[in-house]
Structures are given as C-alpha cells and as structure tokens.
Amino acid sequence: MNPSHKPGWFTIEGAVVEGHRVASGTNGDKRFPEGTIRMQRPYFAAHGFRLDWVHPATLNLSLAPKQFRILRPAKTIRNLRWHPTEPAETFSFCDCRIHAPDGKIVVGYVYCPHPETKPEHHQPPDVLEILAPFIDGIHYGLRLTIELRSSQIALGESEAHG
C-alpha cells in the first residue's frame, strides 16, 4: 500500500482537526496578528532552521486513540525568545511525509512547541501539528496518511503527554 515506505519510517492515518488558529493568525489574537509561524520563522532561521517554504499555519492531525512522544527530533531549538512579551519556548521538529489527497508525497515537519514551556494554546496529546507547504484538498474531517521516523517519534495508546 505504501511504495514510498523506507526502513526507519512508519505509517499512520489520522483525521484533520481544527486547531486554535493561532499559528495561522486567524483567531483574532492581537499578540499574533500574522500568526505565530510567520513570527517564529526568522528566529528559527537564526538558529539554522529555515522554514520559509512551509505554509504559515499548522495542519492538525488527530491520531486518536494514539498519542505521540518525541524521542530524538531532527531539530530542537531551546529557550527561544521569539515574541517581545511572551516567555521563551522550546521547539522540536520531527521529519514527516504527508500523503496528499492528490496522491503526491509532501515533505514536512511535526512542529512541537514543548508543553512545559508553552504558556497557552496546548494541543491534546493525540494531535500532531504539522508544518508543510500548502496542500490542496485539505479540510476538517479528512483522513490523511502520514509517515514518521521511528527514531524521532513514538506512538502509544495512553501516553500522558506529547
């Protein structure tokens, strides 16, 4: 079923769900008028992690009842002060590949603001936030298949947090 599967990757399906709409800037929060992703990108780039190729929003994918746990991410940026009034946060990124509705494989990252440093807008432990180029045909409720690196991220039935 998955001709792109390579050793070290696993495949899982999830449902696209609505997030807090803070990453995209569409929730009306005046602190993040253009969205957090647009605001964070220059700070990530200053740490050698360019994300100018991703759509400035997250694709939220519920893996329920599975929950994820970060193992060894592709990149972690610690104690990043990206906003003038908000506290510093730690971010991890894990490689992923999204099977788009048109059949193409789209490369992206699981975007994981560490819950212990994130002041608000927490995600449920079954929801992956994904950064990727814009993908046509995505809508809430759509079932998507993604591939994740087994060395970077693990899934379980009842982990306490992501």
Side-chain angles (χ1 to χ4, degrees), residues 22-23 32 36-37 39-41 43-45 47 49 51 58 70 72-83 86-94 109-121 129 131:
V22 177
F32 318 113
T36 59
I37 300 303
M39 294 174 75
Q40 293 165 353
R41 282 197 290 206
Y43 294 93
F44 295 152
H47 287 268
F49 196 67
L51 291 171
T58 57
I70 302 295
R72 288 182 305 276
K75 178 74 171 179
T76 296
I77 301 171
R78 297 186 188 285
N79 200 32
L80 182 66
R81 184 70 186 246
W82 61 271
H83 192 277
E86 299 301 309
E89 292 181 68
T90 296
F91 299 87
S92 286
F93 303 87
C94 297
Y109 288 105
V110 173
Y111 164 81
C112 184
H114 288 218
E116 67 276 11
T117 65
K118 189 173 181 177
E120 55 188 306
H121 305 113
E129 290 185 89
L131 294 173

Side-chain angles (χ1 to χ4, degrees), residues 15-21 58-70 110-115 118 120-130 153 155-162:
V16 176
V17 296
E18 187 173 2
H20 299 288
R21 299 180 305 122
T58 57
L59 171 62
N60 298 290
L61 194 65
S62 173
L63 306 177
K66 301 282 188 200
Q67 296 178 5
F68 74 96
R69 182 169 46 92
I70 302 295
V110 173
Y111 164 81
C112 184
H114 288 218
K118 189 173 181 177
E120 55 188 306
H121 305 113
H122 294 271
Q123 293 291 349
D126 64 288
V127 174
L128 290 178
E129 290 185 89
I130 298 172
I153 203 164
L155 298 178
E157 293 292 331
S158 60
E159 294 293 325
H161 54 80

